[in-house]
Amino acid sequence: MNAEIDRVRDQLIVALDYPNIELAETVTSNCGDAVSFYKIGLQLLPVSGMTLSGALRQQGRKVFLDFKLHDIPATVEKATRSIVSQGGDMLTVHAEPPVMKAAVAGRGDDPDLKLLGVTVLTSYDDEMLAEMGYAYGARDLVLRRVDQALECGMDGIVASALEAREIRERFGQGFLIVTPGIRPAGSDAGDQKRVATPADALRDGATHLVVGRPVNAAEDPEKAAVAILEEMASA
Ligand code: C5P
């Protein structure tokens, strides 16, 4: 089983959704070598999240910087350049063509930072998209945005695992599909609407799974992460 777990370890990204880096560091040290990839997002970024990112990278961990950039092209390009200067393994921007083109320009030829387009947040369903004025439901909007992301030169996309299979069927291999909204069977969905189990997400073509509350709100985060890795390894 250990070799199987090693095979999938880099595909599990644990979201460090905590109010301060001290709490996040408690969890990363509790998880030890079990978890190799962490996501630092909007909760930690304003409170020294980039300092934590640097420290994790120094320890040989990978870091997904979930900035979800969304601004005018000039600002996105400059923001991406600033992020490249600090280092990171993945960066998210919203999957709108002008935003993605600016991020690709800002990344320049840094080979390390993978750019991901956030297609449609996994907390949205069709009804919510209609209410916000979108003419497309989640599935169609995701597929349109994947097409545009690949066209813009992005390395991959963020979508729900429920869309992963169709994305792979339509657009083939060779790009990253990162899926949040992962829930081991029987766990609470919280505010997520489009959820899947770890095994299903991998089987459907996801390359990386983002897991937040099932690990970061668990009494023993390491144990929770290892249980998810075992499920991934058996997929
Ligand atoms: O706790 P949970 O597993 O729902 O956390 C999912 C994580 O993935 C959160 O940090 C959230 O910000 C992030 N995310 C998401 N949906 C996206 C992109 C990122 O839930 N489309």
Side-chain angles (χ1 to χ4, degrees):
M1 195 55 167
N2 278 354
E4 295 298 294
I5 286 184
D6 282 343
R7 189 176 50 80
V8 294
R9 195 180 312 279
D10 277 357
Q11 293 181 275
L12 172 65
I13 304 175
V14 170
L16 292 173
D17 293 330
Y18 295 104
N20 57 61
I21 63 172
E22 290 75 22
L23 270 174
E25 276 168 338
T26 307
V27 170
T28 59
S29 59
N30 167 278
C31 287
D33 290 334
V35 175
S36 60
F37 212 147
Y38 287 102
K39 183 173 87 73
I40 297 179
L42 295 178
Q43 191 177 5
L44 269 185
L45 286 167
V47 288
S48 306
M50 290 305 289
T51 306
L52 175 63
S53 168
L56 289 170
R57 280 167 54 83
Q58 284 266 318
Q59 295 162 22
R61 311 277 183 252
K62 292 187 178 182
V63 178
F64 173 165
L65 296 168
D66 196 9
F67 272 90
K68 293 194 180 69
L69 296 178
H70 191 210
D71 207 321
I72 60 170
T75 302
V76 170
E77 183 173 339
K78 287 184 276 189
T80 307
R81 234 181 273 143
S82 296
I83 292 162
V84 166
S85 76
Q86 300 302 297
D89 298 284
M90 286 180 178
L91 168 68
T92 46
V93 308
H94 281 275
E96 294 174 12
V99 176
M100 296 190 286
K101 283 182 193 157
V104 169
R107 188 253 312 262
D109 51 15
D110 180 335
D112 294 335
L113 186 70
K114 302 291 180 219
L115 293 176
L116 304 173
V118 178
T119 56
V120 177
L121 295 175
T122 39
S123 55
Y124 291 165
D125 59 17
D126 290 351
E127 205 180 313
M128 293 165 86
L129 290 170
E131 173 64 26
M132 287 185 278
Y134 284 93
Y136 287 55
R139 171 188 167 273
D140 292 336
L141 191 54
V142 167
L143 292 174
R144 185 181 174 92
R145 289 183 162 176
V146 173
D147 195 21
Q148 291 172 331
L150 298 177
E151 194 63 25
C152 291
M154 301 288 283
D155 300 295
I157 57 92
V158 180
S160 137
L162 301 185
E163 290 110 30
R165 181 180 293 263
E166 196 167 4
I167 293 172
R168 281 286 176 229
E169 275 166 13
R170 279 225 198 174
F171 301 99
Q173 308 294 320
F175 63 97
L176 305 173
I177 299 182
V178 179
T179 60
I182 298 299
R183 291 293 179 269
S187 63
D188 187 10
D191 56 354
Q192 298 284 21
K193 296 281 196 294
R194 299 181 352 264
V195 299
T197 66
D200 284 343
L202 281 188
R203 269 193 291 262
D204 286 343
T207 53
H208 296 82
L209 316 186
V210 174
V211 181
R213 285 160 288 186
V215 171
N216 65 36
E219 223 165 276
D220 183 343
E222 184 192 16
K223 198 168 150 207
V226 169
I228 291 174
L229 285 166
E230 282 169 354
E231 183 176 342
M232 291 166 67
S234 67

